[in-house]
Amino acid sequence: MSQFADVILPLPLHKYYTYRIPAELKENLSTGSRVIVPFGRKKYYTAIVIFTHNHAPADYETKEIISLLDNEPILRRPQLKFWEWIAGYYFCSVGDVYKAALPSGLKLESETLVSPNPDYEENPDNRLIERESILLDTLSKYPKISVQDLEKESGLRNILPVIRTLLDKEALFITEQIKRKYRPKTETYIKLAFGPEEQEKLRPIFEQLAPAKKQLKLLMAYLELSSFMQRGQFKEVPRNTLLERADVSSSVLSGLIDKGILISYKREISRLDTSGRSAEPAHALNTVQQKALDQIFHSFKDKEVTLLHGVTSSGKTEIYIHLIQEVIQKGRQVLYLVPEIALTTQLTTRLQRVFGDSLAIYHSKFTDNERVEIWNNLLKDKGIRVILGVRSSIFLPFRDLGLVIVDEEHENTYKQQDPAPRYHARNAAIVLASMHGAKTLLGSATPALESYYNAQQGKYGFVELTSRFEDIQLPRILVANTQELRRKKQMTGNISPLLLDEANQALKRGEQVILFQNRRGFAPVIECKLCAWVPKCKYCDVTLTYHKRYHQLTCHYCGYTCEVPRQCPACGHTEIDIRGFGTERIEEDIAQYFPDYQIARMDLDTTRTRKAYEQLIEDFEQHKTQILVGTQMITKGLDFDNVSVVGILSADTMMNFPDFRAHERAFQLMAQVAGRAGRKKRQGTVILQTAQPEHPLIQQVINHDYAGMFHTQLKERQQFSYPPFFRLIYIYLKHRDETILNSVACSYATRLRQVFAHRILGPDLPPVARIQSLYIRKIVLKVENNASMAKVRELLYQAQDDMLKDERFKSVTVYYDVDPM
């Protein structure tokens, strides 16, 4: 019988830890089970069992598992294998993957509790300072209190140093308790104290309640709601629904419960929106769509992955729906990935119409309890067949995945940046699908260069949709030469006369307008008119962005904010100029041009909550707002019937970004936002504002020439050894001391050149070389596509371990970004 279990802890540890299995847990404990284990000094974590065995570790004494949390495992067989693949490929620990994969509600952790020492007496030689006295006085009112609550009750901030000194003086004790995060949702229900077979008891009850009019009214409301009037049943009824229908107070209900006529009890209910939606047939496909669907089925016969390259508004979503139907009719499950939460909002309605309650949505704007319920529903096979979600959905416990759809597969939001694991959901989804024996469909009007290259080389299947739904023409793209307009003094603000004229005509026709500016805030910079001083973040190497609504300067990297100075802190001059423009500035400017129309703004500042997203989209769909100003959020496949004019306000800033993918990404953004115009009624118009109208990329956007952009970029990538011909790994080093960081970065790069030779570039400064007071250096490693990633990882870790043997470098943070975006 197994005596030991190797477990994953939710910590960045590069090995599994072994624990003893208590005799009483041996029978029920298995791979994928959650257990509570001690780790470190008085800390407890929820660990997941990897496997059980009989071999005690040789280098440390094993501790015992404290408890088993579930009778059955919470992971399915392929999940642990998938976690290990992600950890191996993306150079992180399985603990990092565990933290990203599991909803927080399934990860119990210990919470620090503080309690006073009743025997403590103040020592005259070591008297308490004021903060210590306040803390002890507050603490004396409670037998035990959490650190967070103690901070609130005492009114003190940053109390951990004070607790530490009081601990040294033995004035208090610290203990740990396990904190359960997930709580099932319950609701109070009411039913009769007897069953329908005893209906004769109702007559004397009516006579008894004749003088109590309100109680009689409540009983009649119950009988109506419980289906007694229609079917002679005594169903349970939600307490709140009953009180609302009867329009009486809760004391009336208590009276009936006290008389033994009704009984009250709590029942666990789902947080998911399962309102018994009935499914409807999918819309019939037109000839072009049906041909594409047939080609996808044919491609899936010998290809695991197929790329669907369909122009904007070609009806890709309807093709997805028909594909999903085929898969779920075979009893298998479907994962439908989208890059942005805003997209799930629009797609939900379309998918629910066809798939009813077998559809579930999964993303970070849902509460943690809702995410746990979706996890448990899939784990226990309670009826979910289709998951519509963002990148974290790849970690859900699918029983039998038959199809993965990655919509807008080119989007860089599929790549997790921080913290680890820095995985790409598209690439990980392809691996996940292969583990389930499922097929993967990638869809986009502007595919990633790597995906399109794989399709051209025959690695992926390839299907094209070259015409829009109902043969509506692609939008005409007109260029506004901002350099020439400013030179001729025909454009003083941020919006060209051509765009204003086209927008005005569209609005008069009752149509809608979208304006795209890929920078939030009012202005990227404010500057002193006299000495050109520009405010910078205290903790990051970036200028602060001016947000007029809050009249403050904000760092978009660390969140630092400060007031706008009344005078320049460098020279004392009082005139401070605003330079550049963000979405907030455009919103204000356009309101002056079109005061009679409703304007909405969609960016990170206005979409902090799920409801905010949904409300913005719903208002625009229902024409409550006529003009939508937004960042790249508005480019991601949103479908608005009535938009006829789209303005791209600053094409140049996208093209000039210092990154080898800048031109590819600029083309994708401009083509996608242009695709929001003229989707249903007639050809739309796009006004593209640029100071470089003759730039080859601008011409490719105007001509909707994806193939031209692809071949231009492919030549450059091949010449300079970039993807898809080579694989990239960025190595980041961080430290508070810039001198130490420079030294360690040069040392590490030298060691790596001894192994990888010319494949190493750097160390260099990234575009932002300091964030949250940590200086950053970047080393680039280019490796051939056929190189063993396991061997590369081994060589990198070996060089890192050799470097960190130097005491000066112990506190340096090193991490890796594989296939960076």
Side-chain angles (χ1 to χ4, degrees):
M1 193 70 176
S2 302
Q3 293 180 311
F4 300 96
D6 285 7
V7 304
I8 307 171
L9 287 152
L11 300 166
L13 306 167
H14 285 280
K15 64 175 184 177
Y16 301 134
Y17 276 78
T18 304
Y19 287 84
R20 277 196 318 280
I21 304 173
E24 66 273 15
L25 299 184
K26 284 181 182 178
E27 192 174 328
N28 294 325
L29 188 140
S30 59
T31 299
S33 296
R34 287 187 309 160
V35 291
I36 297 290
V37 296
F39 187 81
R41 292 186 62 191
K42 296 182 179 177
K43 275 284 182 184
Y44 301 94
Y45 291 97
T46 303
I48 294 185
V49 176
I50 285 285
F51 49 83
T52 57
H53 54 85
N54 290 312
H55 309 292
D59 50 349
Y60 60 91
E61 187 179 340
T62 56
K63 295 178 180 178
E64 195 170 77
I65 292 172
I66 291 172
S67 66
L68 175 65
L69 288 173
D70 312 283
N71 292 327
E72 296 175 1
I74 63 151
L75 300 184
R76 293 188 183 275
R77 182 174 291 278
Q79 284 180 281
L80 290 173
K81 182 182 171 187
F82 183 53
W83 288 11
E84 287 176 332
W85 177 83
I86 286 183
Y89 186 84
Y90 290 104
F91 295 12
C92 63
S93 72
V94 182
D96 288 322
V97 184
Y98 166 22
K99 282 200 292 184
L102 232 62
S104 297
L106 293 175
K107 293 178 292 210
L108 308 186
E109 291 185 8
S110 57
E111 181 183 47
T112 303
L113 294 176
V114 185
S115 54
N117 179 0
D119 300 325
Y120 171 72
E121 291 183 6
E122 191 171 349
N123 187 336
D125 300 325
N126 192 7
R127 292 196 172 277
L128 298 175
I129 61 172
E130 184 184 4
R131 281 168 64 82
E132 291 173 337
S133 294
I134 293 170
L135 211 62
L136 267 190
D137 287 344
T138 308
L139 196 56
S140 64
K141 301 170 189 172
Y142 304 94
K144 279 184 182 178
I145 187 171
S146 71
V147 172
Q148 295 92 326
D149 289 340
L150 182 57
E151 196 165 72
K152 281 183 200 167
E153 293 298 318
S154 65
L156 301 176
R157 300 189 68 182
N158 191 22
I159 65 171
L160 286 176
V162 186
I163 288 174
R164 199 171 296 117
T165 59
L166 288 171
L167 200 58
D168 292 339
K169 294 175 181 178
E170 298 183 352
L172 51 79
F173 302 121
I174 280 182
T175 55
E176 296 285 332
Q177 76 167 5
I178 299 298
K179 187 178 181 183
R180 183 177 292 273
K181 295 182 180 177
Y182 172 66
R183 292 260 187 277
K185 184 178 181 181
T186 59
E187 188 170 343
T188 303
Y189 278 80
I190 305 297
K191 68 176 183 180
L192 271 175
F194 48 89
E197 69 282 356
E198 299 179 275
Q199 287 185 31
E200 67 280 357
K201 289 186 178 180
L202 280 174
R203 187 178 295 279
I205 288 174
F206 285 142
E207 292 170 0
Q208 178 190 348
L209 296 180
K213 302 291 185 194
K214 289 186 177 179
Q215 289 185 352
L216 185 59
K217 183 183 178 185
L218 183 69
L219 180 60
M220 292 301 294
Y222 166 77
L223 292 172
E224 184 184 343
L225 289 169
S226 70
S227 301
F228 174 73
M229 306 296 192
Q230 297 83 18
R231 301 186 190 91
Q233 296 176 337
F234 290 162
K235 282 185 179 176
E236 58 186 6
V237 173
R239 177 182 182 274
N240 292 341
T241 306
L242 176 58
L243 290 173
E244 190 178 326
R245 174 64 67 90
D247 192 22
V248 295
S249 67
S250 55
S251 61
V252 178
L253 175 60
S254 299
L256 285 176
I257 293 170
D258 292 342
K259 289 175 179 175
I261 298 169
L262 296 178
I263 55 174
S264 164
Y265 56 95
K266 287 189 181 294
R267 200 185 83 190
E268 188 176 328
I269 60 167
S270 173
R271 290 180 172 85
L272 308 181
D273 179 18
T274 53
S275 47
R277 293 181 295 259
S278 56
E280 298 174 15
H283 294 308
L285 299 180
N286 63 23
T287 309
V288 177
Q289 289 171 322
Q290 186 61 50
K291 182 183 175 184
L293 180 64
D294 293 341
Q295 287 175 335
I296 291 167
F297 282 129
H298 181 74
S299 172
F300 278 159
K301 287 178 181 175
D302 57 359
K303 301 288 184 188
E304 298 302 308
V305 183
T306 294
L307 173 65
L308 174 61
H309 180 204
V311 296
T312 55
S313 196
S314 55
K316 293 188 289 294
T317 306
E318 284 303 322
I319 293 173
Y320 298 156
I321 287 171
H322 281 257
L323 261 176
I324 293 168
Q325 280 185 317
E326 288 278 340
V327 174
I328 64 175
Q329 280 169 11
K330 294 172 183 173
R332 304 190 75 185
Q333 295 166 312
V334 177
L335 171 59
Y336 186 152
L337 284 174
V338 289
E340 197 75 64
I341 295 165
L343 258 184
T344 64
T345 302
Q346 271 209 330
L347 275 174
T348 299
T349 308
R350 293 179 70 176
L351 295 179
Q352 279 177 346
R353 182 181 56 78
V354 180
F355 302 111
D357 288 341
S358 63
L359 172 77
I361 322 298
Y362 192 83
H363 56 63
S364 60
K365 288 285 194 290
F366 275 8
T367 67
D368 196 63
N369 283 327
E370 286 173 315
R371 293 203 295 276
V372 170
E373 289 203 10
I374 291 170
W375 185 286
N376 288 336
N377 187 303
L378 280 167
L379 196 64
K380 294 167 185 174
D381 285 330
K382 289 186 176 178
I384 292 177
R385 291 287 173 268
V386 184
I387 286 286
L388 172 65
V390 292
R391 61 174 181 250
S392 58
S393 308
I394 62 172
F395 296 116
L396 286 166
F398 296 100
R399 171 185 47 80
D400 181 17
L401 205 53
L403 173 69
V404 176
I405 295 169
V406 186
D407 197 13
E408 309 295 348
E409 63 85 33
H410 65 278
E411 283 289 350
N412 61 351
T413 43
Y414 280 126
K415 180 77 161 84
Q416 162 75 8
Q417 301 296 344
D418 276 309
R422 295 172 180 84
Y423 66 97
H424 196 299
R426 177 194 63 216
N427 300 344
I430 291 170
V431 174
L432 175 69
S434 71
M435 289 180 176
H436 281 267
K439 302 295 184 183
T440 305
L441 181 67
L442 310 178
S444 176
T446 54
L449 239 71
E450 292 89 335
S451 299
Y452 197 77
Y453 178 77
N454 284 334
Q456 297 300 306
Q457 295 297 304
K459 183 180 176 182
Y460 295 169
F462 184 61
V463 177
E464 269 193 302
L465 267 173
T466 53
S467 62
R468 285 183 142 192
F469 187 69
E470 294 183 350
D471 288 327
I472 288 177
Q473 288 180 283
L474 286 165
R476 61 183 181 129
I477 300 180
L478 309 177
V479 171
N481 185 339
T482 53
Q483 187 178 34
E484 190 70 11
L485 287 167
R486 292 187 197 283
R487 188 181 66 78
K488 292 179 178 178
K489 295 189 169 49
Q490 292 174 351
M491 178 178 169
T492 53
N494 302 309
I495 303 169
S496 63
L498 176 61
L499 176 52
L500 286 172
D501 182 54
E502 290 287 341
N504 186 43
Q505 290 181 44
L507 292 167
K508 283 181 176 176
R509 292 193 299 266
E511 295 163 353
Q512 290 169 294
V513 174
I514 286 178
L515 301 177
F516 169 60
Q517 167 61 8
N518 206 24
R519 185 190 289 273
R520 64 191 170 103
F522 189 82
V525 211
I526 65 167
E527 180 183 271
C528 172
K529 275 193 172 181
L530 187 62
C531 74
W533 167 86
V534 172
K536 291 197 170 183
C537 177
K538 287 167 64 175
Y539 310 107
C540 310
D541 279 344
V542 291
T543 55
L544 296 172
T545 301
Y546 174 48
H547 288 252
K548 188 174 182 180
R549 183 180 177 186
Y550 305 106
H551 193 60
Q552 66 182 18
L553 299 167
T554 302
C555 173
H556 288 169
Y557 283 84
C558 72
Y560 167 76
T561 59
C562 65
E563 293 293 316
V564 179
R566 293 184 179 180
Q567 60 182 46
C568 172
C571 70
H573 193 63
T574 53
E575 286 192 56
I576 293 177
D577 207 9
I578 292 169
R579 295 290 175 90
F581 57 96
T583 48
E584 192 181 359
R585 174 76 173 266
I586 297 302
E587 182 185 26
E588 184 177 288
D589 288 353
I590 207 76
Q592 293 176 352
Y593 290 116
F594 302 110
D596 299 329
Y597 296 97
Q598 291 297 312
I599 302 163
R601 173 163 55 95
M602 183 186 280
D603 57 27
L604 195 62
D605 296 322
T606 62
T607 55
R608 299 281 180 190
T609 65
R610 181 169 108 216
K611 284 188 177 175
Y613 259 120
E614 292 169 358
Q615 195 62 54
L616 276 168
I617 291 168
E618 187 182 315
D619 287 351
F620 199 63
E621 280 181 324
Q622 295 177 1
H623 307 170
K624 291 178 183 176
T625 49
Q626 289 78 46
I627 304 170
L628 182 64
V629 180
T631 57
Q632 62 181 354
M633 284 181 183
I634 62 174
T635 70
K636 300 185 193 316
L638 294 172
D639 189 2
F640 300 118
D641 295 355
N642 198 42
V643 173
S644 63
V645 172
V646 166
I648 299 172
L649 301 181
S650 185
D652 307 310
T653 53
M654 291 183 279
M655 295 193 301
N656 298 333
F657 193 76
D659 184 85
F660 76 93
R661 281 198 174 91
H663 282 191
E664 176 194 4
R665 198 164 288 148
F667 180 93
Q668 288 166 340
L669 277 170
M670 287 189 271
Q672 288 287 342
V673 77
R676 301 316 107 209
R679 294 177 69 87
K680 289 287 185 325
K681 295 179 181 176
R682 59 191 183 89
Q683 185 184 27
T685 301
V686 177
I687 310 301
L688 199 161
Q689 296 187 174
T690 175
Q692 308 171 72
E694 300 307 316
H695 193 289
L697 186 72
I698 297 294
Q699 294 303 311
Q700 287 161 355
V701 173
I702 291 170
N703 297 317
H704 306 284
D705 185 13
Y706 175 85
M709 183 278 296
F710 171 76
H711 290 297
T712 304
Q713 292 302 304
L714 205 64
K715 285 177 190 171
E716 288 185 16
R717 303 276 183 94
Q718 191 162 23
Q719 185 179 350
F720 295 105
S721 302
Y722 278 111
F725 303 101
F726 276 72
R727 180 170 282 138
L728 290 185
I729 301 170
Y730 288 171
I731 303 157
Y732 289 97
L733 300 98
K734 292 184 177 182
H735 199 269
R736 292 187 182 278
D737 188 315
E738 193 171 16
T739 307
I740 290 175
L741 182 64
N742 286 332
S743 178
V744 72
C746 291
S747 171
Y748 193 26
T750 302
R751 287 174 190 272
L752 292 177
R753 280 195 183 89
Q754 293 168 4
V755 180
F756 295 104
H758 62 278
R759 298 176 186 83
I760 292 291
L761 302 177
D764 294 311
L765 274 69
V768 180
R770 185 175 66 113
I771 296 176
Q772 293 181 339
S773 300
L774 290 171
Y775 293 93
I776 308 166
R777 295 295 177 268
K778 182 173 86 171
I779 299 169
V780 177
L781 170 59
K782 296 179 179 179
V783 293
E784 290 80 358
N785 284 337
N786 59 359
S788 163
M789 287 298 277
K791 186 64 177 173
V792 170
R793 185 174 66 251
E794 182 187 330
L795 293 169
L796 285 172
Y797 283 165
Q798 190 176 338
Q800 180 183 331
D801 291 342
D802 290 346
M803 175 192 69
L804 294 179
K805 284 175 184 172
D806 188 325
E807 285 296 324
R808 295 173 303 154
F809 302 155
K810 288 281 187 190
S811 55
V812 173
T813 300
V814 182
Y815 67 88
Y816 305 90
D817 189 1
V818 179
D819 299 339
M821 293 299 289

